[in-house]
Each structure stands twice: as C-alpha cells, then as structure tokens.
Amino acid sequence: MRRAHDVAAGYSSVSQSAVAATWQVIMAGKAGKQRRSGAEQPQDDEQQPLQAVLIADSFNRRFFPISKDQPRALLPLANVCMIDYTLEFLTSTGVQETFVFCCWMSNKIKDHLLKSKWCRPTSPNTVHIITSDLYRSLGDVLRDVDAKSLVRSDFVLVYGDVVSNIDLSQALQEHRLRRKLEKNISVMTMMFKESSPGHRTRCDEDDIIVAVDSKSKRVLHYQRTQGLKKLQFPMNIFHSGSDEFEIRHDLLDCHISICSPQVAQLFTDNFDYQTRNDFVRGILVNEEILGNQIHMYVSKDGYGARVSNLLMYDSVSSDLIRRWVYPITPEANFADAEGRSCTHSRHNVYREPGVSLGHGSLMEENVLIGRNTVIGANCSISNTVIGANCVIGDGVVLDRAYIWNNVRIGSGVTVCQSLICDGVEVKDGVTLSEQCVLAYDVVVGPNISLPEGTVVSMHHPDEEDEADDDEFLSDDNDVALNKDKTKQKAFSPAEVGSEGRGYLWKTSSLDDTEDDVLAQCIWGLVLKPDTDSETESEASEGSQDAGSRPMSPDLDDVRVFQNEVLGTLQRGLEENIGCDNLVLEINSLKYAYNISLKEVMQVLTRVVLEFPFQQQGAQISPAQYSALLLPLLKKWAPVFKNYVKREQDHMDCLASLEEVFLEHDSQWPALVKVLMTMYRLDILEEDTIMRWFSQKVTTEKSRQLRKNQGLLKFIQWLQEAEESSEGDE
C-alpha cells in the first residue's frame, strides 16, 4: 500500500478525472460491481483494514469571518490544528486508512497534511487526500465514495473538527456481530456519550432525544429538541415489537458513526440525503420498506465532542487544558510538531520553550502559553490559551481568552471570553467584553471598549454579496482578490479606534442581513420558542371540537409540522442547502404528518415571517425586523413559488401574512416592505394583493391594519402602476 505523501502528491488534484483515474490504479475497478451484485467479498470484515472517511469541511459559514482566511479544520485548538485531533483519534482507535475529503481552501489542508506526521512512511494510518470544488454537503462526499468504490468494509465517518479519545473497538465488534447475524440489516452505529442536560460540553443546537430498544440498541426515534416546547413520538415505536425500550435525553452526540459500505450506496440512491440527520431520519421513516436499521453505542468513560461553534470551542479547549481528554494533553505533543514540547506544572499551567514572564505576572490556573511568547509585568492570566510568538504588555488581564499566533497586545488591556486570531494587534487600554472576535490581522484601539458579541474582520461584510455564488469554491485566488477590494473601503474609528484597522460585522444594508445572521451565530445559535403563540395554540386546541376538522391532521400534528419546517429552514440557512432540497424535505414532512397544501402554505408563511423573532426575540424594532426578514424572503423565494401558484394560494398566503402581523402589531410599519419585497420577487401578484386589501373584514384590528399609511400608499402605487400599464396599451 502506498504511503500518504505519495497519494497526496500524485492524486490530490482538483480534477475529478485525474482523481478517478488514480483510484483505478490503487483499487480493482470491479470492487463496486461485486459489492452491488451481492458477491462475496474476498475477506471477512475483521481481516480488512479499518477505514475512515474524514470530512475536512463543514459546508457552512458558521465560523465566518474567521474561516474566510483559514478552513475550520486548520483552526488551532490549544495550539494544535483541529484536524490533527481527529486523525489522532482515528489512528489510536485502530484506523489504518483514512480518506480526507476537502473543498474549501483544500490546498491549505493538503499542505498541512503533507508536512505532518500523518504523511510519513512510518505512520500506521495511511492518509489519502481527495479534493474537489463540487462537494457541497456530506451527501456529495459519500456519493463520491460510492462512485469510486473507496470503502471495502465497515468504515468510520467523522468530521475534521471532532475531538475524542473514545475506544471504538467494542462498538465496532458489536456492529460487525450484528451485521454477521443479520447481513446488511444494520447500516450504521452512532456513537453517544452519557452527558446530563445542561453540561457545558453539550451543544444546545445538538440536544437530542432518542428512543432505543433496550436489548438490541436499535434506534427507534431520533429527534433534535432545540426550540421544541413539547416532544412528539411516532406511534410505531410503541408497536415496534420491542419488549422494552428507553427514551433518553441524557446523551451527547459525538458525531462519530460506524458505517457499513451500504451507507454510501444509500446516499447515491437517495439524493434527498445531504446530511447525516437526513440519512438517519430517512432510514427510520422507511425502515419497514428498506429493511435497514440504525443502532447506537453509548460510551460512559470516553470523551467526544464536535467544535461546531465558538461556545463549543471554548468548552473543548477548557477540557483539553483540564486533561479531560487524556492521553491527548498539551504536553503530549501527539502531533509531533517541532518546538511544541511543553512543561506541565501545578494548576494545569503549560509553557512551551522560550516563554518569558514579567515581574509580578501571575498564571493562575488552566493556562497554555506557546513558544517564544513574551508577557509583561503585573499581568493576570487564567483559563487562557496563548499561541506562539505573541507579545503581551504590562498590566494585562486575560480570562478565558483564546489568543492565536503572532498577536501583539498593549498595556492595560482586558480580555474576557474572546477570540483573537493570528496577526492581530490590540493597542493600549482596550477592553474586549465577552464573546468578541478579532479575525486575522485586525488592529483595534487605543483606549476603546468593544461591546459583547463584537466581530471585527479585515473582510468587509459587503464581500459576501460578491462571493455569494462561489461561497464554497476552493480557489484561493478569490480570497486574495477580495482582500484587494477591501483595501478601497475606509475603516471607522468609532468602531475600531483611532488607529484601528478592520470592519465591524453588522447589518450595514438589507442585502447584508442574511450573512450577518450567520456571523452572529458564530458563538452558537439559540432558538427561542414564541411562548405567546404556543399559549394561543394550546387555548385553541382546548376549545376545538373533536369532530370539527375530520379531513385535517390533529392540531398537535400541525404544530409538530411547524417545528419541523422551522428546523428544516434553520438547517438550510446554516448548511446552505438549496431551495430544491428544502422543498423536497417540506414535501416529505407534508406526507409524514398528513398536512394539506393550504396548511403547508400557512405554516411556511408563518415560520418565515416569525424567523427574525426566533433569532433576536419578539421585542425587535420594525427596522430590525425588516433588515432580518427581507434577505430571507429573497433567499427562500423559490420555496414560496413552489407552493404559491393558483390565485387561491396567493390569498391563503396573504391571509397567513395578515394573521402574523395582527399578532405582532408593533411590526405594522414593516408590513409594506414585506409586501413590496414579495411582490418584486414575484411571490405575490398585484391583483391578489389588491383583492386581499379590498375584501370585507370582520374585526376592528384588521380594519385598523388596512388604515396603515404605508400600506395605503403601497396600494395606491399598485393602482397607479396598473392604470399606467393599461394606458400604455
């Protein structure tokens, strides 16, 4: 078998044809056909080398603007690149061959791996690097795995930002035994760790509830609980034939899966599968038809977490420093990087070679300082990671600060739970409040205080519009081009200080808002259920006659459907899922919950219009509401157009729109902007808008809504435009 450096050097080109040709040299071309035809494999799974598929791309903008300059897999975590933790975990658990799939900034990832210990001839884990501009999701990667027939037996599926020390041997043994007893029935074993709700290593966005057969460990139901006030369980789990099953909410999803080769095939056969959640939901829904099952393994001792946002970055960094991921510790230098050896002393203080500490400075606890870093006098440092070649001034206070390489911090600076990237300069007297981010090469100060949640980058938010169509392309020249454009835009002293250099990532125009929402998600997004709406729904449910809606699903089903649509659109925004795939997901939910087309339109309209409240709370101003909503309407216009086709569809959409605004009368000034946007996007037509406006209303509040001055001017404008067009004819 060839070593990784040979593979990467000869095969890791962007050209799809070159990669395909290469794999024909390494593997027999008949392997895929034999597997599909059901022919016996030449060796048992136990005799095959354990393989892994490592996804070195998140396929979302969650770490923007940081990941505009460096891919997430290469961001330093306790001064070691994230992907090195993942490869160390795979190697220590017995993986002998790993396929690393890269898209965004693939050249940087490839260069890093080629220089690492993973590509040395002595590495027990052979690493193959595969790059392509065409990957947009996990589904695309696994379909490519199937097309190239890369996996010959069971394999481990993991992202390049997972940190773990879990021993997979027992889980792998159970997985293989199940497949041996019932061939091709169990297609995936998901890894979980026992972790009580509220534990800091549990990401709120990944909170789940799982129903599982107590004896066989077969997963019966898997659902994210984020934003849900009530939990719903399908009736079929109570008729699954299980003598005993458990419903568990004490599990942390480690984002590690043991997969059979059929997983890649199933992704090829179902283009609706873009993420692992899509796959799990699809398998569970169609279990009786396809005959496939998913099982789980719960680790009680090991550690496993994914760095999905900066709150998780904070938690995992702290766990590494506090030695919860032993034997993966800072002084172990498991990546075998030159000059990275460090000493470990009391209270978990780690120092790499060449560190200079000024008189009176105190490293209290849980501190890691990189090589050749100079710290001034009378500094207080706790729960902090500092990279290499940094210069810290006098009287600096650092608490839960994450400072990368080549950073210069002036005197009298205070940093609390914030991230400072490579090459940043923080001048004298600056205060960074909690959850601030200074991206690469930013300069702030002097004597300025940045409020909580401030994100500053050398990339202007306007770049997002220019790069919208190519957001995941791995051509590094585009990044350099954007930097040239940025130089033409002036910095604001009020935002970054009189000597500052950088741009505040905030809503500077309506077109930027969609990306600003993502920028604010960098520390983790929390969906807040609308308690008022929930209460009204419960009240209406209580007064509903049991036989009054014989042709419609229960109100509970409609509410669950609404939550599912909200989750689908949220995930679509985070993972940049195309509108066609969103429509497919919504349609599948429609059939699953027996929802009518009219109810789909009503729910879709409500979910989109209330999306800004989920993001920022119900008390936002009309200007903020418009700024958040209008770009979402633009992004999801194709989804609306799929359902708004007939005249009655337009009226149903407008009726739902009116209902939402009647519930949120403080947002009435934004109504005209919403209608104008939907009109210009061809979601609504002028005839139906005017018909809706002129129809007889039964409530005083609806009459007051139609007296809104902005709405009256908009209707007058539509009438004049219609008369003008008739006059031209």
Side-chain angles (χ1 to χ4, degrees), residues 77-291:
L77 188 72
N79 292 346
V80 177
C81 292
M82 290 188 195
I83 196 171
D84 289 329
Y85 289 100
T86 311
L87 286 168
E88 176 68 15
F89 155 66
L90 292 174
T91 304
S92 65
T93 202
V95 171
Q96 296 173 266
E97 186 176 28
T98 300
F99 302 96
V100 179
F101 287 84
C102 318
C103 178
W104 175 248
M105 294 189 176
S106 56
N107 287 335
K108 287 191 174 184
I109 298 175
K110 184 170 69 173
D111 290 345
H112 171 80
L113 292 176
L114 289 175
K115 297 173 184 176
S116 72
K117 77 170 190 178
W118 315 112
C119 289
R120 295 173 187 168
T122 55
S123 172
N125 183 3
T126 303
V127 175
H128 307 292
I129 308 168
I130 303 175
T131 67
S132 173
D133 289 345
L134 304 179
Y135 302 141
R136 292 293 185 274
S137 67
L138 170 68
D140 291 342
V141 169
L142 289 178
R143 282 184 274 275
D144 201 31
V145 168
D146 184 51
K148 293 181 170 68
S149 300
L150 300 184
V151 294
R152 303 181 292 280
S153 61
D154 298 321
F155 65 96
V156 180
L157 177 64
V158 67
Y159 277 92
D161 50 12
V162 168
V163 178
S164 177
N165 63 358
I166 295 175
D167 184 358
L168 295 184
S169 56
Q170 181 63 33
L172 188 63
Q173 183 179 342
E174 292 181 10
H175 176 84
R176 287 171 171 168
L177 180 61
R178 279 191 292 264
R179 285 175 41 74
K180 192 172 183 179
L181 295 175
E182 295 182 281
K183 191 168 181 61
N184 299 335
I185 296 297
S186 180
V187 294
M188 177 183 285
T189 299
M190 303 172 68
M191 303 296 300
F192 296 92
K193 183 185 182 307
E194 286 189 345
S195 178
S196 58
H199 193 278
R200 62 190 180 86
T201 55
R202 279 184 64 151
C203 178
D204 289 342
E205 301 157 25
D206 280 343
D207 266 356
I208 55 169
I209 191 160
V210 180
V212 57
D213 185 303
S214 300
K215 294 180 180 178
S216 67
K217 302 304 177 186
R218 176 165 65 94
V219 176
L220 306 174
H221 180 67
Y222 176 93
Q223 182 183 15
R224 288 187 176 185
T225 60
Q226 178 64 42
L228 296 181
K229 198 170 184 180
K230 290 183 178 180
L231 299 174
Q232 307 286 335
F233 299 93
M235 288 299 297
N236 65 307
I237 71 172
F238 300 98
H239 306 290
S240 61
S242 302
D243 296 331
E244 181 182 343
F245 65 88
E246 305 167 1
I247 295 176
R248 303 192 61 169
H249 189 46
D250 63 335
L251 299 176
L252 181 153
D253 188 348
C254 298
H255 294 279
I256 302 166
S257 306
I258 300 173
C259 305
S260 74
Q262 284 95 322
V263 169
Q265 279 182 261
L266 289 167
F267 270 88
T268 297
D269 296 338
N270 297 273
F271 273 82
D272 293 348
Y273 297 162
Q274 298 297 330
T275 66
R276 193 189 65 163
N277 281 343
D278 292 341
F279 176 79
V280 172
R281 184 164 54 187
I283 292 296
L284 296 181
V285 168
N286 300 305
E287 182 177 321
E288 294 183 4
I289 301 173
L290 300 176

Side-chain angles (χ1 to χ4, degrees), residues 603-649:
V603 166
L604 177 65
T605 304
R606 173 174 287 277
V607 166
V608 173
L609 292 180
E610 292 184 344
F611 208 89
F613 304 141
Q614 300 288 345
Q615 302 280 347
Q616 299 291 338
Q619 305 305 317
I620 57 176
S621 68
Q624 292 173 314
Y625 175 76
S626 301
L628 289 166
L629 177 64
L630 301 191
L632 296 177
L633 290 173
K634 179 180 177 182
K635 182 179 184 67
W636 290 327
V639 178
F640 274 99
K641 292 177 184 178
N642 184 76
Y643 300 104
V644 185
K645 296 178 179 178
R646 304 167 303 165
E647 183 176 354
Q648 187 57 45
D649 298 334

Side-chain angles (χ1 to χ4, degrees), residues 344-521:
H344 174 224
S345 55
R346 293 176 58 194
H347 306 301
N348 293 326
V349 174
Y350 306 83
R351 295 172 61 167
E352 292 184 4
V355 172
S356 173
L357 190 65
H359 178 72
S361 289
L362 179 63
M363 295 185 291
E364 297 180 11
E365 60 177 358
N366 306 314
V367 175
L368 169 60
I369 303 180
R371 65 189 184 279
N372 301 324
T373 286
V374 178
I375 298 174
N378 302 314
C379 295
S380 174
I381 305 174
S382 60
N383 305 300
T384 290
V385 177
I386 303 176
N389 304 308
C390 297
V391 177
I392 312 294
D394 298 334
V396 173
V397 177
L398 303 176
D399 181 32
R400 294 176 71 187
Y402 299 97
I403 300 169
W404 294 355
N405 302 318
N406 302 305
V407 172
R408 300 181 67 86
I409 295 181
S411 298
V413 170
T414 299
V415 181
C416 179
Q417 196 190 12
S418 294
L419 178 69
I420 302 177
C421 298
D422 291 1
V424 169
E425 183 175 0
V426 181
K427 294 187 176 292
D428 295 349
V430 172
T431 298
L432 300 186
S433 303
E434 290 186 352
Q435 298 187 358
C436 288
V437 176
L438 303 184
Y440 291 87
D441 301 320
V442 161
V443 179
V444 293
N447 303 314
I448 188 173
S449 180
L450 299 185
E452 179 178 345
T454 300
V455 180
V456 184
S457 171
M458 290 302 293
H459 297 279
H460 196 283
D462 288 347
E463 290 181 22
E464 296 303 280
D465 289 335
E466 299 162 4
D468 240 5
D469 296 332
D470 300 323
E471 60 189 300
F472 290 127
L473 292 187
S474 57
D475 184 357
D476 296 338
N477 292 330
D478 291 342
V479 177
L481 181 62
N482 283 334
K483 286 183 178 178
D484 291 339
K485 293 179 181 178
T486 300
K487 293 177 182 177
Q488 303 172 6
K489 300 166 184 173
F491 306 117
S492 170
E495 295 174 347
V496 296
S498 58
E499 300 176 27
R501 298 177 68 249
Y503 304 100
L504 203 62
W505 273 52
K506 64 179 183 179
T507 306
S508 55
S509 70
L510 295 183
D511 293 335
D512 294 336
T513 309
E514 171 197 333
D515 300 323
D516 180 63
V517 171
L518 293 175
Q520 293 176 358
C521 296

